[in-house]
Amino acid sequence: MGYKNNRMGYQDEILTSRAIIKKDNYAILPHDGLVKNTIPGFVNVEISILGSPRLGANFVDYIATFLEGGAHETGFGGDGVETMIYVVEGKLTVTDGKEEHTLETGGYAYYPAGVKMFMKNAQKENTEVFLYKKRYEPLEGHEPYAVIGNVKDLTPIEYEGMKDVLYYEFLPADLAFDMNLHILTFKPGASHAYVETHFQEHGAYLLSGKGMYNLDNEWFAVEKGDYIFMSSYVQQAAYAVGREEELAYV
């Protein structure tokens, strides 16, 4: 068995964990102790399952490191399952079998249900990506479509009118899409305007910074590399802490 941070063997410290698991409610999976999984189709890829139905989610997401030559050549998604990929760092080639795109750091791709995503590391160095899949919920008269882009090309929205909380939306405002994909960033000291309570469930992979996160009206310390799952109607909000680095999650 391997771990994402490659910290294995004899340890000098007492074994502890920041992991909090409340199935069907919320969870925090810290980067320390996150196990590498073996998933069919991924070759030369170190991958860890994050949110899943076993946790209570109606989706599955992953954090994956494509090593040199790493690929998924049998197709990710399809058969009614929509997919999304975000490049945390590196360079990755994605294709639906027809059009090929090279995504660099900050790049993302969404493919609708029925379309398989093929992926390959586009550099010798490692490429880290966040992956997501979900069974699509169709709406009569609406048809989703592929979306390719890079967060660097998006115009940020001031979240709730706050200049130090910025929102980067990946998908168009179109009912053809049955979900929302975005990055939310907080400057140190910034926070949500209020504790949210809403129908939508979601996951959050922390791209940078440190913060305090409210889940079910309890506050927890989180940092870059952590993953958070929030079920429907779970109270949630964040404060960014630290001196310079912003708190950001996808």
Side-chain angles (χ1 to χ4, degrees):
M1 179 179 291
Y3 297 87
K4 186 178 186 300
N5 62 6
N6 292 318
R7 185 166 68 87
M8 298 180 287
Y10 298 112
Q11 302 295 314
D12 295 327
E13 301 83 8
I14 294 174
L15 297 182
T16 61
S17 174
R18 292 187 294 108
I20 305 291
I21 310 298
K22 304 286 186 180
K23 291 186 177 181
D24 301 315
N25 192 10
Y26 67 87
I28 297 174
L29 304 181
H31 53 86
D32 192 36
L34 197 60
V35 174
K36 297 176 186 176
N37 300 116
T38 298
I39 300 177
F42 288 93
V43 179
N44 289 335
V45 178
E46 297 179 347
I47 187 167
S48 298
I49 300 171
L50 301 172
S52 75
R54 291 191 179 185
L55 191 60
N58 290 304
F59 56 81
V60 182
D61 43 21
Y62 315 80
I63 188 68
T65 299
F66 283 70
L67 309 178
E68 182 177 0
H72 193 308
E73 297 179 339
T74 58
F76 180 68
D79 297 326
V81 175
E82 57 192 341
T83 58
M84 186 279 291
I85 191 167
Y86 175 78
V87 178
V88 177
E89 186 174 9
K91 186 183 295 186
L92 192 82
T93 297
V94 298
T95 178
D96 59 1
K98 298 176 182 178
E99 294 186 14
E100 183 176 288
H101 303 270
T102 298
L103 307 177
E104 299 190 10
T105 300
Y108 58 87
Y110 165 87
Y111 286 109
V115 176
K116 289 188 175 183
M117 180 192 298
F118 302 89
M119 301 164 271
K120 188 174 182 179
N121 194 355
Q123 60 180 16
K124 290 185 177 180
E125 296 79 13
N126 293 348
T127 292
E128 185 176 38
V129 305
F130 175 76
L131 276 166
Y132 175 98
K133 69 177 183 180
K134 174 184 172 294
R135 184 158 297 279
Y136 180 64
E137 300 176 41
L139 180 63
E140 186 176 355
H142 298 270
E143 191 69 30
Y145 46 89
V147 178
I148 312 294
N150 193 296
V151 68
K152 298 174 185 176
D153 301 321
L154 299 177
T155 301
I157 300 168
E158 292 182 358
Y159 191 70
E160 301 287 347
M162 297 181 288
K163 296 183 182 299
D164 51 2
V165 183
L166 300 180
Y167 179 87
Y168 298 82
E169 179 60 76
F170 291 2
L171 298 179
D174 188 331
L175 288 176
F177 301 101
D178 67 341
M179 62 179 176
N180 176 275
L181 300 167
H182 63 267
I183 287 178
L184 196 58
T185 68
F186 301 80
K187 295 293 184 183
S191 72
H192 283 91
Y194 45 82
V195 177
E196 299 179 352
T197 307
H198 53 63
F199 168 79
Q200 294 83 357
E201 63 169 359
H202 58 91
Y205 183 75
L206 275 61
L207 300 169
S208 64
K210 296 180 180 180
M212 295 297 297
Y213 219 100
N214 185 314
L215 297 167
D216 205 12
N217 271 343
E218 292 189 62
W219 288 97
F220 302 96
V222 294
E223 64 181 5
K224 176 182 177 180
D226 288 354
Y227 173 79
I228 305 172
F229 165 67
M230 292 154 274
S231 186
S232 297
Y233 301 112
V234 170
Q235 301 97 315
Q236 54 199 258
Y239 277 100
V241 302
R243 297 183 182 277
E244 297 180 359
E245 189 176 31
E246 65 183 18
L247 174 68
Y249 55 78
V250 58

